[in-house]
Amino acid sequence: MGEQTTRHGSLDAARRDLVIVLVALLLALVLADWLDINERFVTWAKGYELRTGIELEELPIVVSSVIWAVAWYAWRRWRQYRREVEDHRATDRRLRLTAEALAVSNARLRDAIEAIPAGFALFDAEDRFVLWNRRYLETYPESADLIVVGRPFEEMLRLGLERGDYPAARGREADWLAERMTRHAQLHGSSEQRMWDGRWLRIEERRTAEGGSVGVRIDITELKRREAELQEARERADAASSAKSEFLANMSHELRTPLNAILGFSEIMARELMGSLGSSTYQGYAADIHKSGTHLLSIINDVLDLARVEAGKLTLRAQAIDGAEVLWEVRRMLTASARAAGVELEIRVDDQVPPMMADPDRLRQILLNLVSNAIKFTPPGGVVSAWLHFDAAHRRVVLEVHDTGIGIAPEDVETVLAAFGQVESALSRQHHGIGLGLPLAKRLAEAMGGSLRLASVSGVGTTVTLELPMAELAAAAETEAAQPRAAVR
């Protein structure tokens, strides 16, 4: 625009110079006629001719020289004028090409906006419609005919309210309009809106550099439907899990009562407390009944504990205890089993291991599960070791149970830590069990604020690491949680 103005100024200057020259010549002729310059010039020229010898016939040469000078100046100015006209035409061509390129760019922008799989609208700094795509009109079909370039968003809403386009606003038009404008003005990112016809929209609002805004509308009705179905399925699964846990708990109680009677009577018969059975075979049968009943009672107890943990109904008596005492107690209880299996049982306790926060009965249950499991799956001549130490960096008491048994393949670790998970092997098939020992130990450890990890190499051995919080640290955390927080001043 500035270049075009400059060239127009040059053309005006050339025209002005030419007019000045012509006017000056005309005034010179008029002045010469008024002062009778011709006669005076002739008289002067004759005298000058006598003095200098120049003939009067040379006068046309002088006049023609002046005419040629004026013609040269006019020609020069005319060339400059033509150049400026050509420059002006070239500028016009460039502007025309720029306009065509801009039109092509606008068409591409329009195609790109139409290709967006969501509603799109652009508003200027005065919140007036500038640009939108077809999906935006489809998102608000009741207002599609009211969306025009230059119309403020609020005016579009008011027109729609006047003709009853928004069923959700009936009877509360003013409040509805205020709420809608407030939501429209809050350019805080992403929000979700439920439409009157049941559709769900995700609304994305962003401010532009010039003070306007960009709005994107994404239909998430299908996503909301799937979320509702998933939530319903999750609730059904939780209900089924709770019912399963409740059923297992009830069944465990129902089974334990007659089983305790079986154990008691079989023990009386095996010891012949009420008199001789008449045959040693019967005494052996009674011993087998008692042994099988004891095993079944152990399984029922594990099932009941697992059901309680999953139902969140397990009661713990967390207190500061010496882990070494529990570990030595477990060693005394399992020494005979280890000797019978031909497995060496080693215990190592580091110095200055602080007390841990745990339920003593549940800790004893965990250790019995871990050590007996290690003895069960370690061939004769193997070693089972338990090491109690303190991890000062993480302030945790750590107990590691290691064996030189059959081990577990890495891909099977998750299986054995899952309830009822068992890995088939030649040695595992020689022992009875339903796969509750490790899963129950893991859940009990987590219920006491600790963790249980398993690392194993098939054919080499397995290491189970139990970590529990230090008693002082756990007590401090409980005290801090119980105290009200001071007000911030």
Side-chain angles (χ1 to χ4, degrees):
M1 187 65 183
E3 183 182 359
Q4 186 176 359
T5 303
T6 302
R7 289 171 178 171
H8 279 300
S10 300
L11 293 175
D12 293 340
R15 297 191 188 99
R16 185 174 60 252
D17 292 345
L18 182 59
V19 169
I20 291 173
V21 170
L22 295 177
V23 171
L25 288 175
L26 180 61
L27 290 175
L29 291 175
V30 172
L31 182 62
D33 182 67
W34 180 61
L35 295 176
D36 200 12
I37 296 298
N38 290 335
E39 293 182 1
R40 294 182 181 183
F41 180 78
V42 171
T43 302
W44 172 81
K46 288 181 178 181
Y48 184 78
E49 180 182 354
L50 293 174
R51 291 194 305 273
T52 61
I54 299 175
E55 297 181 357
L56 190 62
E57 286 78 2
E58 295 177 354
L59 183 60
I61 298 175
V62 176
V63 174
S64 63
S65 298
V66 173
I67 293 174
W68 276 107
V70 172
W72 173 81
Y73 178 77
W75 175 76
R76 178 173 173 274
R77 297 301 298 182
W78 174 253
R79 285 189 59 189
Q80 183 177 359
Y81 170 76
R82 292 298 302 172
R83 283 197 301 271
E84 292 175 350
V85 168
E86 289 298 329
D87 291 344
H88 177 67
R89 290 176 178 173
T91 300
D92 288 343
R93 285 194 297 271
R94 284 196 296 271
L95 291 176
R96 186 172 62 254
L97 293 176
T98 301
E100 293 175 355
L102 182 61
V104 172
S105 178
N106 287 338
R108 290 174 179 171
L109 177 61
R110 167 61 68 177
D111 291 341
I113 292 175
E114 287 294 338
I116 297 175
F120 175 89
L122 175 65
F123 301 88
D124 62 14
E126 302 299 326
D127 202 27
R128 295 173 298 194
F129 282 97
V130 176
L131 189 64
W132 58 89
N133 63 359
R134 176 178 52 82
R135 287 187 179 270
Y136 189 85
L137 299 179
E138 294 174 351
T139 302
Y140 302 105
E142 67 278 357
S143 305
D145 60 324
L146 300 178
I147 299 176
V148 296
V149 174
R151 172 167 288 168
F153 183 76
E154 183 175 2
E155 180 183 340
M156 184 270 292
L157 291 180
R158 291 186 181 277
L159 293 174
L161 285 173
E162 291 176 0
R163 67 186 192 183
D165 289 342
Y166 311 112
R170 290 171 186 169
R172 52 184 301 272
E173 285 79 2
D175 293 339
W176 183 89
L177 180 62
E179 293 170 2
R180 187 69 183 86
M181 289 304 300
T182 300
R183 189 164 58 248
H184 177 69
Q186 292 174 349
L187 305 180
H188 52 74
S190 178
S191 62
E192 294 181 356
Q193 176 186 359
R194 183 179 176 86
M195 304 297 289
W196 63 270
D197 57 358
R199 291 178 298 138
W200 279 91
L201 298 179
R202 176 175 290 127
I203 300 176
E204 303 281 348
E205 301 281 358
R206 294 291 186 274
R207 183 72 67 183
T208 62
E210 65 174 5
S213 62
V214 170
V216 177
R217 306 293 188 269
I218 305 172
D219 192 325
I220 58 172
T221 305
E222 184 64 20
L223 178 61
K224 282 292 185 179
R225 184 186 65 79
R226 292 179 181 177
E227 286 181 355
E229 292 177 352
L230 182 61
Q231 180 62 26
E232 184 179 355
R234 185 181 297 113
E235 291 175 355
R236 288 198 302 267
D238 291 342
S241 177
S242 178
K244 179 202 70 174
S245 300
E246 190 71 21
F247 170 77
L248 289 175
N250 292 334
M251 286 301 297
S252 297
H253 281 296
E254 294 296 328
L255 290 173
R256 287 171 69 180
T257 300
L259 187 57
N260 285 328
I262 293 174
L263 290 175
F265 290 138
S266 62
E267 185 176 4
I268 292 174
M269 294 171 65
R271 294 185 179 183
E272 296 182 335
L273 297 179
M274 304 301 294
S276 175
L277 296 178
S279 173
S280 60
T281 304
Y282 294 148
Q283 188 176 6
Y285 289 162
D288 291 340
I289 293 172
H290 187 273
K291 183 179 178 180
S292 299
T294 302
H295 177 67
L296 182 58
L297 180 61
S298 175
I299 293 176
I300 292 174
N301 287 333
D302 287 346
V303 171
L304 178 59
D305 287 338
L306 186 62
R308 285 174 176 172
V309 172
E310 291 183 347
K313 296 180 179 180
L314 181 67
T315 302
L316 296 174
R317 298 183 299 107
Q319 61 187 55
I321 60 174
D322 185 357
E325 291 184 2
V326 180
L327 182 58
W328 285 110
E329 182 182 353
V330 170
R331 184 183 187 279
R332 288 192 298 270
M333 297 172 65
L334 296 178
T335 296
S337 298
R339 188 180 298 112
V343 174
E344 183 179 355
L345 182 58
E346 298 179 349
I347 300 295
R348 181 157 62 99
V349 179
D350 286 0
D351 295 333
Q352 298 180 347
V353 176
M356 64 177 69
M357 183 64 71
D359 184 315
D361 294 335
R362 297 304 177 183
L363 178 60
R364 186 181 301 106
Q365 183 179 359
I366 292 174
L367 295 183
L368 284 171
N369 272 332
L370 297 183
V371 178
S372 62
N373 235 29
I375 294 172
K376 183 196 308 183
F377 293 106
T378 299
V383 178
V384 173
S385 61
W387 174 34
L388 181 67
H389 60 96
F390 178 58
D391 183 0
H394 300 92
R395 312 287 288 173
R396 311 276 277 185
V397 180
V398 182
L399 176 65
E400 296 183 10
V401 177
H402 176 73
D403 65 63
T404 58
I406 60 176
I408 304 169
E411 62 270 16
D412 294 328
V413 170
E414 292 187 6
T415 301
V416 299
L417 289 177
F420 305 102
Q422 290 182 307
V423 179
E424 288 294 329
S425 68
L427 186 57
S428 65
R429 283 193 294 267
Q430 299 174 8
H431 303 276
H432 299 290
I434 60 173
L436 283 181
L438 284 175
L440 180 59
K442 184 175 187 298
R443 284 163 174 77
L444 288 176
E446 292 171 351
M448 292 187 293
S451 64
L452 187 142
R453 301 188 306 275
L454 187 149
S456 183
V457 178
S458 182
V460 176
T462 302
T463 298
V464 181
T465 303
L466 171 67
E467 293 185 357
L468 289 172
M470 189 176 69
E472 296 178 1
L473 189 63
E478 291 180 359
T479 303
E480 181 181 357
Q483 292 178 351
R485 295 185 179 273
V488 179
R489 299 184 182 274

